[in-house]
Amino acid sequence: MSDEPTETADAAEDGGAVVERTRRRFPSWSRAVESEWFVVGATTVAVALFPWLFARAPVVSDLLNGYQDLASLILIWGIFAMGFNLLLGYTGLLSFGHAAFWGGAAYAAGLFSTQVSSSPLLIVAAGTVFAALLAWVLGFVALRRGGIYFAILTLAFGQMMYYMALSPLSGITNGENGYTDVEVGQLFGSFHLRYPVPGLDWLLGTWQYVFVGAITVLCVALAYRVLNSPYGMVFRAIRENEQRAEFVGLNVWRYKLMAFIISGSLAGVAGSLFTIHGSYVPLESLYWTTSGEVVIMAVLGGVGSLFGPILGAGLYLYVENITSGIRELTVPLTDVVLLDGFGAYWHLILGLVFVAVIVLFPRGIWGLFRDVAAGIRRLGGGRR
Amino acid sequence: MVLLETRGLTKSFGGLVAVDGVDLAIEEGESISVIGPNGAGKSTLINLVTRMLDPTAGEIEFKGESITGYEPHEVVQKGVSRSFQTASIFPELSVEENAQIASLAAEHGSFRLNFLRHRDNYGEVEASAREILDAVDLLGQRNVTAEDLPYGDKRRLELAIALASEPDLLLMDEPTAGMSPEETAATVRLIERVKEELGLTILLVEHDMEVVFNVADRIVVLHRGAVIAEGAPEEVQGDPEVQEAYLGGVEA
């Protein structure tokens, strides 16, 4: 406002009106983009198109080398990273033990599927409830401390869960072999998750993808609503200045616990889907490297946004699953082999990608997109 | 009516007694200024009253009720708000959001399970935030990111945050520290105006004597944690003990 040029007295009225009108055109567009219907709608379209583009579309899929199963896996990790980021990016709390919720829910879902019901929806519900309760308990203790102490406490809890599953509880969890008795039934008793969707299998693939995709959209809608509720504002206030938040009369401790529970629950949704996706719970799902991976995904994608971490999850899994499959690195369009056994270096490649993104685009991939979009808009504005 | 009362309020850090048996009573509508040399325990006193620190001994009563065991946010909810020595704001949020957060806490209390309700449904929060921003002349800059404000405006934003909590008692810790003379004068005018408009009771910790004499009805002098003098500005000014301890014998 203050940087508007001052108008001369006689032009003030007309000029002011013009400025007002042109200014209003963009806000109405950006308001539409920010509306919930737009976000949920755009997410639905993106989720629906994703497996086709990734695995079956001409040219694009040949370049990407993607496959159906990885598309579901990216969405599942995307939910995990998005939930994790509610805590890191929005509330400013670095948890280094989110494997506890992901893996805990994965085991809970697996056990539930054998012991109680094999309905996919109920499996996800069971895993999520378990993760939420676990987050409540762990958060109650870990949130007593801030900063690095909080990170270490969550790490310690995560590792405790890992060792519990490895040895004392191996009678239930099947120890280091992972839980193999997962039974996944049919969705609503009639849709077999492994079967293709009749008529739409070219677009969506299997019922499993539909199931995972629908829950992804639901989770995005939920997270977006939370961020646009009073909680979203309070979370960011806590991130910005915890002391001030307390001294405007907010119960910071309870809001932090809620952030932890919401974040843990989303990790639980993802962990349960992971069990359904693989019909198996690997012990590594509780290991600290899983907690580390989700941190990397969130930072890679951009912690300042809701969608960034989903992109980060996509890029991470892409390098892990596709790039690692490339056997030889050749000079393009020739047969000259640059490096044999290229794929074996995928960790190194991921490291390089990570360093490049962080150095060049500190706000992650999403931040890069935003900058590009802002640049284009500025070019358009300049011409007018 | 006595709004705030402390009895024998004491805080020691190890062997150092920062606040030493302070008895203080603030009447509703009064403006009190606490002065004293560096390290006299002025900020510690504010931190004790707002429950940022636990007292070693003593009692704090607000509106006739003990708040000694309260959490800081509970004290704010009771009606005690404060500003900090450094502009304590939410730097990466807009000016309007800064005020909205404080209004939210005032309208909704310290905690609510409303994480699935869209914030467009909270018109009263937006309205009261705008009202407060208008009162401190920051409404025009409501879309500016708070950290981009000039220093004086940041302090005013902090005052807005403190006021948006709808306090009965406002504690200010050196509100004009680091300000230019013009900014200081503007701040004094602002404090006097909001005090009148909102019927606030004010406790001011301040170094700048001009500010103190302008704002305060009554002055409390702290020296080494203890109250050594108390009274109207003119009385305190003439007190030989105060001149000795605080003004260093210089005739004011």
Side-chain angles (χ1 to χ4, degrees):
Chain A
M1 278 229 145
S2 54
D3 55 0
E4 291 295 339
T6 19
E7 280 127 349
T8 48
D10 52 344
E13 238 175 309
D14 277 350
V18 170
V19 169
E20 196 53 44
R21 214 177 308 129
T22 49
R23 200 192 290 136
R24 211 172 280 154
R25 193 185 296 161
F26 281 117
S28 69
W29 165 244
S30 65
R31 181 162 299 171
V33 169
E34 280 170 18
S35 88
E36 271 174 11
W37 288 112
F38 180 87
V39 168
V40 173
T43 309
T44 309
V45 171
V47 164
L49 288 178
F50 176 48
W52 176 72
L53 280 174
F54 193 52
R56 285 180 292 276
V59 188
V60 187
S61 72
D62 295 335
L63 281 173
L64 290 173
N65 264 316
Y67 53 93
Q68 176 76 33
D69 221 31
L70 185 56
S72 334
L73 197 63
I74 286 176
L75 292 189
I76 293 170
W77 278 90
I79 297 173
F80 186 20
M82 181 179 72
F84 170 78
N85 191 48
L86 284 184
L87 207 57
L88 176 65
Y90 286 92
T91 321
L93 289 166
L94 171 60
S95 159
F96 213 78
H98 255 48
F101 309 123
W102 162 269
Y107 273 104
L111 285 162
F112 183 88
S113 77
T114 356
Q115 305 295 331
V116 187
S117 163
S118 65
S119 150
L121 266 180
L122 290 180
I123 292 175
V124 172
T128 308
V129 168
F130 178 80
L133 293 176
L134 186 68
W136 192 354
V137 176
L138 298 195
F140 199 82
V141 181
L143 286 165
R144 302 278 157 192
R145 292 283 170 268
I148 189 74
Y149 300 102
F150 170 74
I152 297 296
L153 274 172
T154 50
L155 173 63
F157 280 126
Q159 284 300 88
M160 272 158 65
M161 295 272 296
Y162 170 77
Y163 285 108
M164 289 286 277
L166 175 66
S167 174
L169 294 179
S170 62
I172 306 171
T173 62
N174 202 16
E176 62 182 326
N177 294 323
Y179 189 75
T180 47
D181 299 335
V182 179
E183 274 175 40
V184 182
Q186 293 175 355
L187 187 61
F188 304 123
S190 44
F191 305 109
H192 197 291
L193 291 184
R194 291 275 163 213
Y195 290 174
V197 184
L200 281 174
D201 60 330
W202 59 275
L203 181 68
L204 299 165
T206 57
W207 282 113
Q208 174 165 288
Y209 185 82
V210 174
F211 182 59
V212 171
I215 292 185
T216 306
V217 173
L218 214 70
C219 286
V220 167
L222 180 97
Y224 194 70
R225 173 51 77 88
V226 169
L227 290 179
N228 281 300
S229 76
Y231 274 56
M233 210 151 63
V234 174
F235 288 169
R236 287 182 300 150
I238 292 171
R239 177 194 71 197
E240 293 291 302
N241 189 341
E242 190 174 330
Q243 188 185 58
R244 185 73 256 185
E246 177 80 24
F247 279 95
V248 297
L250 292 168
N251 191 338
V252 167
W253 146 252
R254 286 187 72 181
Y255 278 107
K256 284 201 308 198
L257 187 59
M258 280 305 290
F260 200 68
I261 292 172
I262 294 170
S263 174
S265 304
L266 284 171
V269 173
S272 317
L273 287 176
F274 183 63
T275 298
I276 291 174
H277 177 263
S279 291
Y280 168 63
V281 185
L283 179 64
E284 288 73 38
S285 62
L286 282 170
Y287 200 48
W288 68 268
T289 51
T290 301
S291 305
E293 277 171 36
V294 80
V295 178
I296 292 173
M297 286 173 185
V299 174
L300 202 56
V303 291
S305 65
L306 184 64
F307 293 101
I310 302 178
L311 297 181
L315 181 60
Y316 187 102
L317 291 173
Y318 186 81
V319 174
E320 182 179 357
N321 291 284
I322 305 288
T323 314
S324 67
I326 302 172
R327 219 163 285 149
E328 296 171 337
L329 186 67
T330 55
V331 179
L333 306 174
T334 65
D335 288 333
V336 183
V337 176
L338 277 180
L339 187 63
D340 200 19
F342 175 76
Y345 298 106
W346 76 267
H347 273 114
L348 182 66
I349 296 159
L350 189 70
L352 290 174
V353 168
F354 186 73
V355 171
V357 168
I358 299 309
V359 171
L360 297 174
F361 323 112
R363 293 189 297 134
I365 305 168
W366 190 260
L368 169 70
F369 286 178
R370 294 293 294 258
D371 290 347
V372 170
I376 291 170
R377 220 175 302 141
R378 219 174 303 127
L379 279 180
R383 219 181 295 133
R384 191 163 38 80
Chain B
M1 191 188 101
V2 176
L3 196 59
L4 180 86
E5 191 175 4
T6 71
R7 278 193 301 273
L9 197 60
T10 302
K11 175 73 189 176
S12 45
F13 299 102
L16 176 83
V17 183
V19 170
D20 192 0
V22 169
D23 300 316
L24 196 67
I26 305 179
E27 292 283 332
E28 204 173 340
E30 210 182 5
S31 290
I32 276 204
S33 188
V34 175
I35 63 170
N38 280 329
K42 307 182 296 290
S43 292
T44 309
L45 183 64
I46 283 196
N47 289 342
L48 286 171
V49 170
T50 55
R51 299 289 302 124
M52 204 167 143
L53 291 172
D54 282 321
T56 314
E59 257 305 300
I60 311 160
E61 275 182 14
F62 183 70
K63 292 179 181 167
E65 202 181 308
S66 170
I67 57 168
T68 318
Y70 277 34
E71 295 283 327
H73 65 261
E74 292 173 317
V75 178
V76 180
Q77 292 289 346
K78 284 283 289 182
V80 182
S81 186
R82 68 170 291 176
S83 69
F84 290 83
Q85 258 183 38
T86 52
S88 185
I89 54 175
F90 305 108
E92 284 178 31
L93 306 185
S94 74
V95 167
E96 187 165 27
E97 286 174 310
N98 267 269
Q100 280 176 355
I101 287 161
S103 299
L104 184 78
E107 305 276 341
H108 287 201
S110 61
F111 181 79
R112 262 206 212 180
L113 276 175
N114 53 0
F115 58 91
L116 290 180
R117 235 177 114 76
H118 202 282
R119 70 177 183 210
D120 283 356
N121 296 320
Y122 298 109
E124 78 282 2
V125 171
E126 275 177 36
S128 82
R130 287 193 174 209
E131 219 169 276
I132 293 293
L133 287 179
D134 197 25
V136 300
D137 294 330
L138 280 175
L139 195 56
Q141 282 122 287
R142 63 181 179 275
N143 295 322
V144 177
T145 306
E147 64 186 345
D148 295 337
L149 288 175
Y151 183 72
D153 287 354
K154 279 184 191 156
R155 296 301 306 243
R156 274 196 296 161
L157 176 58
E158 204 209 351
L159 189 60
I161 293 173
L163 292 175
S165 308
E166 296 170 8
D168 300 307
L169 171 65
L170 177 63
L171 309 173
M172 287 186 281
D173 199 350
E174 300 192 24
T176 65
M179 280 191 181
S180 67
E182 295 81 42
E183 286 175 327
T184 302
T187 305
V188 170
R189 278 197 303 277
L190 179 61
I191 292 172
E192 287 185 324
R193 205 180 73 214
V194 296
K195 182 191 152 190
E196 206 159 297
E197 281 174 11
L198 304 172
L200 283 175
T201 307
I202 289 178
L203 190 154
L204 177 78
V205 161
E206 184 56 74
H207 266 303
D208 189 326
M209 284 305 137
E210 220 179 302
V211 176
V212 171
F213 286 116
N214 264 317
V215 174
D217 308 325
R218 189 154 65 94
I219 291 178
V220 173
V221 186
L222 274 186
H223 184 48
R224 293 195 183 130
V227 178
I228 59 166
E230 195 177 341
E234 311 77 52
E235 293 168 35
V236 169
Q237 211 171 359
D239 189 305
E241 203 182 345
V242 174
Q243 295 195 350
E244 178 62 33
Y246 185 67
L247 304 170
V250 178
E251 192 60 49

